[in-house]
Amino acid sequence: MKKILMLASLVLLSAGFLLANSNTEKSTTSQDNWDTMAPADFKGKIVLWSFTDEVQGMIPYFNEVYPNIEVESVVIPNADEVYLNKINTTLRSGAGGPDVFTGESAYYKQFIDAGFWEPISDAPYNADELLGDLVPYVPGSTKDANGKVTALSWQATPGALFYRRSIAKEVLGTDDPATVSKYTSDLSKFYELGSMINDKYNGEKFLLAGYSDMSQFIYNLRDEPYVVNNKLNIPQGFYDYMKLSKEMRDNNIESGTTTWQPPWFSSMADASVMCYILPTWGLHYVLKPNAEPEADKGEKEFSGDWGLAVPPASYSWGGTWIGVNSMSNQKMLAYQFVKFIGSNADFLEKWAKKTGDFVSNTKVIEKVKPTFSEPFLGGQNHYEYFAKEAKKIDVSMRGPWDFQIENAWGDQVELYVTGSKTFDEAVADFKKAVSEILPDLDVE
């Protein structure tokens, strides 16, 4: 039955490609001179699909430069993979769909492999001419099988570790980021710090809200993809992570919550947890609004009771890319939007200063980083730190099914940590889950 469904999907996908090729030829012939056109000369309407309203907030900046392109924004949240399924079913059917759409790091490789995003390296787009000013991994990770860039992004997403200075002072005698980093940058010392917190507060405060906060840097600690020669490749770090997580739970190093659950968010405000392992966007869109919501709304000053330290390993987490629908009849207009959002220096400088988000344009990064001072972090310059970390990001091992494989492993880690399964049972059930996701993969 699974093979029948897969065959049906391939038929639909092939039909989509035929339609795509037809539309590509049609739109290209009407766009011969677009590289010489002024922004105001581009006229028409495009439809944008995204899983958050973040890009929607960028449209006014776009229309300051391109006043005659109307962008209709449609937000489709990705809870239970609704957005991912919507993109897959719509584009494979070849009926309708957006002119431009976003993809998150967890699944955007599926869009690239399916040919949903238009390759933009060469004429008439010539996106390769933009690459010299961009953080290399951002466009580089969107290359298709022919080595062509398919999408851009306004952001790069290296990771950090954020900590409560007041807990650091009581446990370590200082809140100095360099001293704190000596404990947080090494996994053994990090665990030792957790024991010190447990002893200091008699088990009422914790190093982490949940062991799952470590998952992203663990997932980045691998030398090979999860699938090698059509065989499942389980990194040693996965096994180490499972064992360490249970040890942390058993020894009261973490509070017993799970990332993204309500107790995880509330722990940011009640000062029961010292550390959160989050990337660039986590600072502005997760930690600040939950740890100090009134200050985040501008109703009071930030306390400055937070700092940035070095995590146990460099990592990147998340990120949103945007590309042109390969079946769109408005590729000329859609690419103007992608190029503007993903490379325009004036826009990205404004966006960085307004939101604090770490942008993808290296010239903008170099220009703004000396002046950043984050009140939430007691005046610490997070941009300087992220600029160094962005150079370490290696996404060459990412595959189209990473999100599903990592979720399957995370499910089994939880069952092992809670004592519902033995270690061997959890590993065996992980392999079973992967075989259901990818039935043709050798999981042994």
Side-chain angles (χ1 to χ4, degrees), residues 185-444:
S185 60
D186 176 87
L187 199 53
S188 296
K189 296 286 288 183
F190 191 49
Y191 191 94
E192 178 184 336
L193 176 60
S195 297
M196 294 166 69
I197 294 171
N198 189 31
D199 293 342
K200 179 71 177 180
Y201 298 105
N202 296 317
E204 295 183 353
K205 294 193 178 186
F206 309 91
L207 175 70
L208 294 171
Y211 68 82
S212 55
D213 283 11
M214 300 187 298
S215 61
Q216 293 303 317
F217 75 74
I218 294 290
Y219 294 151
N220 278 261
L221 282 174
R222 52 182 165 130
D223 299 324
E224 293 183 313
Y226 296 137
V227 177
V228 179
N229 297 325
N230 201 43
K231 184 176 182 179
L232 177 64
N233 178 44
I234 305 177
Q236 179 59 42
F238 270 34
Y239 300 115
D240 298 339
Y241 169 51
M242 184 176 284
K243 293 175 180 176
L244 178 62
S245 297
K246 183 165 179 56
E247 192 173 346
M248 281 188 160
R249 176 66 58 85
D250 292 346
N251 292 300
N252 222 27
I253 301 299
E254 50 93 88
S255 72
T257 65
T258 302
T259 310
W260 305 125
Q261 296 300 309
W264 183 77
F265 287 109
S266 62
S267 69
M268 296 176 181
D270 65 20
S272 61
V273 171
M274 177 174 171
C275 300
Y276 293 88
I277 300 170
L278 291 165
T280 50
W281 48 266
L283 169 62
H284 303 290
Y285 303 115
V286 179
L287 190 55
K288 288 166 66 174
N290 286 286
E292 300 188 20
E294 292 181 353
D296 189 60
K297 295 175 184 175
E299 298 171 355
K300 59 184 295 187
E301 297 292 324
F302 283 114
S303 69
D305 189 31
W306 292 87
L308 184 156
V310 179
S314 295
Y315 70 98
S316 65
W317 183 1
T320 303
W321 281 260
I322 185 166
V324 176
N325 183 351
S326 61
M327 289 177 271
S328 169
N329 286 322
Q330 299 286 3
K331 293 191 179 81
M332 173 178 63
L333 304 181
Y335 180 65
Q336 304 311 308
F337 189 70
V338 169
K339 182 174 70 172
F340 180 87
I341 297 299
S343 70
N344 186 282
D346 290 338
F347 158 65
L348 291 172
E349 181 177 347
K350 292 176 182 176
W351 191 253
K353 290 178 177 177
K354 177 186 178 184
T355 66
D357 199 5
F358 189 76
V359 297
S360 60
N361 187 304
T362 55
K363 289 185 176 178
V364 174
I365 293 170
E366 292 303 313
K367 182 178 180 181
V368 304
K369 73 177 185 181
T371 61
F372 261 83
S373 176
E374 173 55 59
F376 179 78
L377 300 176
Q380 205 170 348
N381 186 338
H382 62 290
Y383 238 83
E384 289 274 8
Y385 172 81
F386 285 131
K388 295 177 183 176
E389 289 299 297
K391 297 176 181 177
K392 302 176 184 178
I393 295 178
D394 178 6
V395 296
S396 60
M397 285 162 291
R398 282 184 183 171
W401 299 101
D402 286 8
F403 180 62
Q404 287 81 359
I405 291 172
E406 290 167 356
N407 277 352
W409 186 259
D411 290 343
Q412 298 304 321
V413 172
E414 175 68 11
L415 293 168
Y416 174 64
V417 167
T418 57
S420 300
K421 291 182 180 178
T422 67
F423 182 84
D424 290 340
E425 288 172 342
V427 172
D429 287 347
F430 165 71
K431 292 179 179 178
K432 181 180 179 183
V434 173
S435 69
E436 292 173 350
I437 298 168
L438 300 169
D440 294 329
L441 188 69
D442 179 3
V443 300
E444 297 301 330

